[in-house]
Amino acid sequence: MRILVVEDDVNLNRQLVEALQEAGYVVDKAFDGEEGHFLGDTEPYDAVILDIGLPEMDGITVLEKWRANARVMPVLILTARDRWSDKVAGIDAGADDYVTKPFHVEEVLARIRALIRRAAGHASSEIVCGPVLLDTKSSKATVNGTALKLTSHEYRLLSYLMHHMGEVVSRTELVEHLYDQDFDRDSNTIEVFVGRLRKKIGVDMIETVRGLGYRIQAPADAR
């Protein structure tokens, strides 16, 4: 999953980025509203963390512009504790949730997980597809109760496919959501990771849809 952090406080931005990366996310960052708006308007993100008080362009304006341009990714806004009006303005502008400063990073991670789950139509932190269980809270996966040993790229790929279970996901979409903007993207590497996942899962669940991409769904006998 790919996240954008727009926060002008350098230390807070770094803390959020590091925590998200440790949790298995791919993260892009911006330090002002104009840069944040540009990235959110041109890159595909699974969620955005957006500070309200930004230089160049304030967070409310950034959010309004995204929504006016039909950008529908979930947005978590960061607000000052004593500015209840910012919370109202943010929600009215199209925010999906908010956190007040100061906050615990763990709360931000939990809210981001929830926003991504809801956007994909999942209510629980555990996503099940046949014998495979993905625990988004612990960033771990099991097959029939046995833990899978996955690299970070393999986990991201499995997570994205399972969040979009039953849907055909193109290579281009996978590349856009599994790598940050500075990564040397090569869609051919997706085939390699899919091959590794198939071997580790050990059941025929990841289908290649010729000319379109990949789809994960439970085996026929498990539906």
Side-chain angles (χ1 to χ4, degrees):
M1 297 294 176
R2 190 175 173 194
I3 309 293
L4 172 63
V5 175
V6 190
E7 167 60 61
D8 62 315
D9 184 298
V10 175
N11 289 330
L12 182 55
N13 191 308
R14 175 182 52 78
Q15 291 172 14
L16 288 169
V17 169
E18 289 178 353
L20 288 162
Q21 289 174 335
E22 288 177 6
Y25 297 101
V26 174
V27 188
D28 292 332
K29 58 182 181 293
F31 296 93
D32 64 65
E34 286 188 356
E35 181 184 14
H37 171 260
F38 174 77
L39 288 174
D41 208 37
T42 57
E43 296 286 337
Y45 292 104
D46 296 290
V48 177
I49 297 174
L50 175 67
D51 185 33
I52 292 297
L54 293 168
E56 306 301 332
M57 185 188 301
D58 67 87
I60 297 296
T61 301
V62 170
L63 184 52
E64 287 176 338
K65 286 179 175 289
W66 283 339
R67 297 313 193 213
N69 203 27
R71 301 296 289 169
V72 298
M73 63 282 193
V75 175
L76 174 70
I77 57 173
L78 306 179
T79 71
R81 182 179 296 277
D82 58 347
R83 291 293 298 276
W84 63 267
S85 58
D86 283 348
K87 302 170 189 176
V88 174
I91 297 298
D92 284 344
D96 298 272
D97 200 357
Y98 66 85
V99 173
T100 56
K101 299 179 181 180
F103 51 76
H104 293 288
V105 173
E106 289 78 8
E107 180 184 0
V108 173
L109 293 176
R111 291 182 181 275
I112 285 294
R113 288 195 299 268
L115 289 179
I116 292 174
R117 286 199 313 269
R118 289 192 212 112
H122 300 285
S124 171
S125 61
E126 294 184 346
I127 302 175
V128 179
C129 183
V132 179
L133 184 150
L134 182 79
D135 187 337
T136 61
K137 184 177 179 181
S138 64
S139 300
K140 297 183 184 300
T142 60
V143 175
N144 291 319
T146 301
L148 286 173
K149 294 183 179 180
L150 303 175
T151 66
S152 59
H153 283 91
E154 290 166 354
Y155 175 80
R156 290 171 192 158
L157 174 59
L158 179 62
S159 176
Y160 194 83
L161 288 174
M162 288 192 66
H163 273 83
H164 298 84
M165 190 165 41
E167 302 175 18
V168 177
V169 182
S170 70
R171 286 189 196 173
T172 300
E173 183 177 348
L174 287 170
V175 169
E176 289 176 338
H177 287 265
L178 299 183
Y179 304 120
D180 62 43
Q181 63 177 138
D182 297 324
F183 193 87
D184 185 13
R185 303 173 182 179
D186 180 2
S187 64
N188 291 325
T189 60
I190 296 297
E191 286 187 25
V192 176
F193 293 132
V194 168
R196 291 178 184 173
L197 266 182
R198 282 174 171 151
K199 290 179 180 179
K200 292 185 177 183
I201 292 174
V203 289
D204 187 16
M205 291 176 51
I206 303 178
E207 173 190 2
T208 299
V209 183
R210 190 175 298 277
L212 297 175
Y214 302 98
R215 174 171 52 208
I216 192 169
Q217 53 189 1
D221 57 1
R223 294 176 203 163

